[in-house]
Amino acid sequence: MSMIYLSLLVAVPSALVVPGAPTAPQTASASTSTPAAPVEPLTTDSTIDAIASTPAGKAVLDKDLPGLTEHPMYEAIKTMTLKQVQPLSNGMITDEALVQVDADLKKLKR
């Protein structure tokens, strides 16, 4: 068998296995923990929701961009980054504000 075909077989979820067909033995137990992926630092390239989801991140937004998390359009923009929202902000999110947000976010421990 080719490697591509083998990797496709391995990727098939067990729910898709045909009843009565032989299955591969389970080698890992459910209690096996995998190391957590490293947490990326929050920046102005993070989504607004990711920043606001932590109390410290929300505090940075409230300090540096007052009213952003209460803005009527928050639900529409929360999956965007501050850099993506900046051109839509009619000058309310300045380059200086983004620099300040980045500096304040760097001070946070994640």
Side-chain angles (χ1 to χ4, degrees), residues 42-43 46-71 74-75 78 82 101 104-105 108-110:
L42 295 172
T43 69
S46 304
T47 64
I48 296 168
D49 193 39
I51 297 170
S53 69
T54 66
K58 185 175 182 314
V60 168
L61 292 178
D62 290 343
K63 175 184 150 300
D64 297 337
L65 299 168
L68 177 71
T69 58
E70 288 85 27
H71 194 280
Y74 180 77
E75 287 300 312
K78 71 181 185 179
L82 290 170
V101 170
D104 289 342
L105 291 174
L108 302 180
K109 302 246 192 263
R110 284 223 30 187

Side-chain angles (χ1 to χ4, degrees), residues 17-53:
V17 174
V18 177
T23 59
Q26 298 294 324
T27 57
S29 69
S31 65
T32 303
S33 64
T34 56
V39 177
E40 295 295 321
L42 295 172
T43 69
T44 53
D45 289 317
S46 304
T47 64
I48 296 168
D49 193 39
I51 297 170
S53 69

